[in-house]
Amino acid sequence: MYAPGHAAVWDEDSALHTLRAVADAEASPALIALSKAARAHDLPFLADDDAVSIGAGEDGQTWAIDALPNVDAVEWEALHAIPAALVTGSNGKTTSVRLIAAMTRAQGWPTAHSCTDGVYFDGQALESGDFSGPTGARTALRQPRAQAAVLETARGGMLRRGLALCHANAALVTNVSADHFGEYGVHDLADLAEVKLTVARAIHEHGVLVLNADDPLLVRKSETLTCPLGWFALDFDAPLLAAHRTRMGATCGVRDGRLLLSRGEDVHDLGAIAQMPLTLDGRAAYNIANIAGAVLVAQALGVAAEVIAGVLARFGLAHGDNPGRLQHWRFGGMDVYLDYAHNPDGLRGLLDAIDARQHGGRFAIILGHAGNREDADLRAVAETAAAYRPELVVLKDIGGYERGRAAGEIAAIMRPVLLAAGVEAAAIEIVLDEVEAARRPLQWARDGDLVVLPVHDPAARAQLVALLDTLHARQWRPGEPLPPSQS
């Protein structure tokens, strides 16, 4: 049998005939029967080109796609779901995933999680790379010892392939800010919010969709949602949260410097915000928001309040807790921060948290972006950085993320924006390799300076973390030579 050819777009009748032939050629009655039976048993059903899984984690089973069982041969009573959460939003997804996974592990549940850095089981990497889509979710959910799963659910994966998991105990939308415009018909914040809120479809009557009450667009869009909601905000006494508590809804926020969690009539004090390492002594407002959202998700999964509080008191102390996000090294009087900030809101939040305007010394930053952003997005990132008056800006590419852009094209778009905003021409350099771009401010800096390294490629980040750790171990000081480059 020959495979059908491509549909003739110029002839509708012929195209329909071809598409029906394609569907017939790929039809799998056994797969369809298993899918229907899994739905009838209210079980997760995960299918791809290689395998099919029913159930999840330690209570799931996987078969090769060419060796599917008959419906009657499946031991349905042995298959179950495991507590699972979906995490999406414009900023803070990976931090939130890691924090929730730390909480479920502390509860005693072996946990699989997937994110932009890879797929992990109990904190150990199984796969490296961007696994924030359905492939990462399926890989995490198929871990045979997992008792919980936390799944980063990025916009691109939802638009291309939908949700891998159609029924979750909780979902989180951290925020919605300008990013990724121009792709897949998403051209404004309203479009983007609709995409992010796709996760609401996975939340049934006993689940919780956790939303940011400080995001006006999410508040407005929530009016059309029918699933149970949980709300977080920086202010525990914000009107929306207070009203939600009168209806016995779950909320989380800050009152008098302490993080409070409520559900029904119970209110839990989770500790002083300034004592939580992720908050930078309470200055990192965006991480306070990430914490509050993660707390509500963890509670919805069944993690005890005292366990949550214990994790918040220590998560972020070690670089390995949240690699690539707000990592800090100090060399003499010079501060170096490595972060993932990749859009104007994320960059602004980072620079405010580390007091870039009030630091006292000179300020250097590296800037770049993925090539699939619109030119306006690239200019907005440059404008945001320029507002903090850097004395050195190193423009870079991101290896593997050019996505149709020529080498140096992004730098060429950002440079005139920096000049127009008042950054001196002599203060702007172009070093396209991301690792070499990050080394340049380290060579330039002196005691008292601030160096900010938004790094996006995981391989580049690994090299830079190793370099900075080596410098710290050697008690390196600004002005001293750097070790030879490994790139």
Side-chain angles (χ1 to χ4, degrees), residues 128-155:
S128 296
D130 187 347
F131 280 86
S132 59
T135 298
R138 288 191 294 266
T139 304
L141 290 164
R142 286 171 174 166
Q143 294 310 306
R145 294 189 293 121
Q147 295 178 12
V150 188
L151 313 169
E152 185 169 334
T153 307
R155 164 210 58 90

Side-chain angles (χ1 to χ4, degrees), residues 118-205:
V119 182
Y120 295 75
F121 179 71
D122 264 3
Q124 300 300 309
L126 304 174
E127 302 278 358
S128 296
D130 187 347
F131 280 86
S132 59
T135 298
R138 288 191 294 266
T139 304
L141 290 164
R142 286 171 174 166
Q143 294 310 306
R145 294 189 293 121
Q147 295 178 12
V150 188
L151 313 169
E152 185 169 334
T153 307
R155 164 210 58 90
M158 287 189 282
L159 286 168
R160 289 192 297 268
R161 298 182 180 88
L163 296 174
L165 185 65
C166 295
H167 188 177
N169 301 84
L172 167 63
V173 183
T174 59
N175 48 57
V176 179
S177 63
D179 200 7
H180 290 288
F181 290 165
E183 288 190 308
Y184 304 103
V186 175
H187 296 287
D188 56 31
L189 282 177
D191 292 341
L192 191 57
E194 289 291 341
V195 175
K196 303 293 187 185
L197 287 168
T198 300
V199 296
R201 302 180 187 180
I203 302 302
H204 298 181
E205 59 179 330

